[in-house]
Amino acid sequence: MSGFSDEQLAAIRAQFPALAAADSPTSPTSGYIFAENAGGSQVLLSVAEAISSYLLTTNVQMASYALASRAESRVSHGACAAAALLGAESPDDVMLGQSATQLVFSLSMMLETRVLADRAAGAEGAWQEGDEIIISDADHETNRGAWTRLATRLGLKLKHWPVTRVSNSESKYAVTLDPKVLETLVTSHTRVVAFTACSNLLGAFTDIGSATQVVRKVAKDALVCVDCVAFAPHRRITPRSWDVDVAFFSLYKTYGAHVGAMYVDPRVKETQLARLNHFFLHTPHAPPGMYPFQTSSVQYELNYSIAAVADYLVSLGTAKQVPSKVDWNALFGRASSEGELTALSRSEVDDALDAAYARVAAHETTLLQVIMPVLLKWADKGLRIVGPEDASSDARAPTIAFVLVDAQGNHRVGTSKAIHQALVRSAIGAQQGHMYAHKLVSSLGLDLADGVIRLSFVHYNSADEVRRTADLLTAIFQTLV
């Protein structure tokens, strides 16, 4: 599968107001390079229009009258789109919330409430003190903090899956998560295994299938929770094929609004989670899906806007310059009140999303092959890639972190900040610090305040933008090292 032609990339960028402004010679942000997409992508115009439309035309509560029914259909439209993006069998297996962090915290509270009830009832198979939770050192704090606190509250043993050096590299910073290491950690007492599909700092893809196989061989009923926040902009989320129980991502890092989406395996929902919503939603007659389990209602206008992201991604796979509006409700057998929607089968949606991400991967290889050789040329001067040094999109996303080290291999504290300041002065949006991967940066012996420099590109970045960034970095390095 090929990537995007110049014409196709221009059409893609035109759908993002911030990118269109950067491409305009008369804009105040003309020439600006958005290279901090792992922190938050740019938003589609169609997403902003969807939010505005909902608030201005259907901003009512759910009820049994015509306008309220249309509002409810729109909320369902977004939930069904989220289910398609998460590879769920039903939108009833999807929980939506204000952020990925909030969703994981809510999940931990559902588990805790159920565990305490099971312990009090003396239920067979209840989690006991001394049982284990495994978290990865490569993760954003979203998929660490909630589990760390849960372990403390329930008297569980917390284990860490450390990063290890990539076999073909001599650099101590060229690390990733190796499922073989997980084999030494999982026992019959393991209850939760939480790890990232793609590190938001290392940019490395985790072998999810192999990791899950390791868990299932020893602790078949352990809950496997995968953070896909840094993965979703680059590759398709397929939790059922991975055999994981929970997978989540953030729409605001995938071209949408500030809302999170989480797949929860229906078996886990029924056997391991407690309902946290109002007491009258705890009965057998409560609404289906995740609503009785959540602590509150959903953000209606933001949920509706998820459909615009899904429409856009489908259009990437079908090579349509103007995305069609898909009938996401119909995809799951629900009635829709929206007009002029395109009916697609599940296989058509799956094929389109597969094709979209294949084209994204091909384009990302082009971007990586521009930037990685330039960075690696400075290895003898102390530049170290933090993560795989591979320029193939099979191994990594174009989320690239690096540091400068001295002759002894120690972090030259202050250089990350200096490089970052030089980049932003030249209208290149980058980031510097620990990126909320606090444990990872600490474990590598890097200064937490200075941290790494991170460049994070996505499919709407052009090879020319990456080349301009590489040229500027070369000039910075010439003065700094």
Side-chain angles (χ1 to χ4, degrees):
M1 178 71 70
S2 60
F4 305 107
S5 67
D6 290 345
E7 181 183 6
Q8 289 168 334
L9 191 58
I12 286 170
R13 291 175 65 86
Q15 297 177 61
F16 294 84
L19 303 183
D23 291 341
S24 170
T26 60
S27 166
T29 55
S30 180
Y32 191 88
I33 297 174
F34 291 91
E36 177 37 15
N37 297 288
S41 68
Q42 294 310 299
V43 66
L44 288 154
L45 175 61
S46 57
V47 167
E49 289 176 337
I51 294 170
S52 176
S53 175
Y54 187 95
L55 289 173
L56 298 180
T57 64
T58 53
N59 191 33
V60 296
Q61 292 301 304
M62 308 296 104
S64 55
Y65 59 92
L67 185 58
S69 295
R70 186 182 177 213
E72 185 173 8
S73 177
R74 285 180 140 192
V75 173
S76 172
H77 186 63
C80 288
L85 293 178
L86 282 163
E89 189 173 4
S90 165
D92 290 343
D93 304 334
V94 172
M95 180 164 60
L96 300 171
Q98 68 187 40
S99 68
T101 301
Q102 178 263 315
L103 288 172
V104 178
F105 175 74
S106 293
L107 179 69
S108 72
M109 295 301 296
M110 294 173 202
L111 285 163
E112 179 178 5
T113 304
R114 181 65 176 262
V115 167
L116 292 175
D118 287 348
R119 284 180 178 178
E124 183 179 356
W127 295 13
Q128 301 299 327
E129 291 189 10
D131 283 348
E132 303 160 350
I133 291 179
I134 299 173
I135 58 177
S136 111
D137 286 357
D139 271 73
H140 185 286
E141 192 62 17
T142 286
N143 207 26
R144 290 178 51 86
W147 303 120
T148 300
R149 293 188 291 272
L150 180 66
T152 299
R153 294 194 300 268
L154 292 179
L156 306 177
K157 182 179 181 180
L158 191 68
K159 291 182 171 181
H160 295 268
W161 178 6
V163 293
T164 49
R165 188 181 302 183
V166 177
S167 60
N168 60 356
S169 177
E170 297 181 358
S171 170
K172 69 177 183 179
Y173 300 107
V175 296
T176 187
L177 287 174
D178 184 350
K180 291 181 180 178
V181 177
L182 191 58
E183 292 178 356
T184 67
L185 299 172
V186 180
T187 74
S188 59
H189 294 285
T190 300
R191 296 294 189 171
V192 176
V193 181
F195 60 91
T196 183
C198 176
S199 166
N200 74 313
L201 191 148
L202 303 174
F205 296 129
T206 304
D207 187 345
I208 303 168
S210 294
T212 305
Q213 287 177 11
V214 169
V215 176
R216 298 298 182 217
K217 284 179 183 177
V218 181
K220 65 181 180 66
D221 294 325
L223 186 146
V224 179
C225 179
V226 180
D227 180 348
C228 298
V229 174
F231 182 87
H234 309 285
R235 300 294 182 272
R236 192 176 175 199
I237 303 172
T238 57
R240 291 190 295 154
S241 71
W242 297 332
D243 190 26
V244 306
D245 302 297
V246 177
F248 60 89
F249 77 110
S250 294
L251 272 299
Y252 84 93
K253 296 185 180 181
T254 315
Y255 324 118
H258 278 77
V259 59
M262 173 181 280
Y263 164 81
V264 180
D265 185 284
R267 176 190 60 83
V268 169
K269 180 174 62 176
E270 296 305 324
T271 63
Q272 296 192 45
L273 303 185
R275 300 183 182 198
L276 299 183
N277 213 322
H278 305 304
F279 73 92
F280 49 81
L281 294 172
H282 295 196
T283 69
H285 305 292
M290 292 301 301
Y291 179 59
F293 292 83
Q294 297 183 231
T295 55
S296 65
S297 189
V298 295
Q299 301 145 293
Y300 297 145
E301 68 278 7
L302 302 187
N303 287 15
Y304 175 53
S305 74
I306 297 171
V309 175
D311 290 340
Y312 170 74
L313 291 171
V314 165
S315 78
L316 291 183
T318 57
K320 289 187 176 181
Q321 291 192 2
V322 180
S324 299
K325 292 187 176 181
V326 176
D327 192 339
W328 296 107
N329 275 319
L331 192 68
F332 292 97
R334 295 183 176 183
S336 179
S337 64
E338 298 290 283
E340 298 183 9
L341 299 178
T342 300
L344 295 179
S345 68
R346 188 64 188 266
S347 63
E348 288 174 323
V349 169
D350 287 340
D351 288 346
L353 291 176
D354 286 342
Y357 280 104
R359 298 180 78 195
V360 166
H363 182 69
E364 289 182 348
T365 291
T366 299
L367 303 184
L368 284 165
Q369 289 174 348
V370 172
I371 188 71
M372 293 295 282
V374 173
L375 294 175
L376 291 171
K377 282 182 180 178
W378 291 89
D380 62 341
K381 300 293 186 182
L383 188 142
R384 298 289 182 269
I385 303 291
V386 183
E389 297 168 332
D390 204 317
S392 168
S393 63
D394 291 335
R396 64 171 304 136
T399 300
I400 306 155
F402 61 90
V403 293
L404 293 181
V405 299
D406 60 23
Q408 288 72 45
N410 298 316
H411 185 191
R412 288 178 54 191
V413 178
T415 54
S416 293
K417 184 175 182 180
I419 293 169
H420 176 253
Q421 290 177 337
L423 287 168
V424 297
R425 282 196 300 267
S426 297
I428 296 178
Q431 189 55 282
Q432 168 254 328
H434 57 66
M435 316 303 157
Y436 286 62
H438 192 279
K439 173 64 174 179
L440 174 60
V441 172
S442 176
S443 71
L444 292 173
L446 298 172
D447 181 79
L448 282 165
D450 198 40
V452 302
I453 306 98
R454 184 179 69 183
L455 300 166
S456 48
F457 302 104
V458 290
H459 72 281
Y460 56 54
N461 287 113
S462 69
D464 179 66
E465 287 183 314
V466 178
R467 197 170 293 111
R468 286 161 50 200
T469 303
D471 289 344
L472 178 60
L473 284 171
T474 296
I476 295 170
F477 297 152
Q478 287 172 343
T479 62
L480 198 59
V481 304

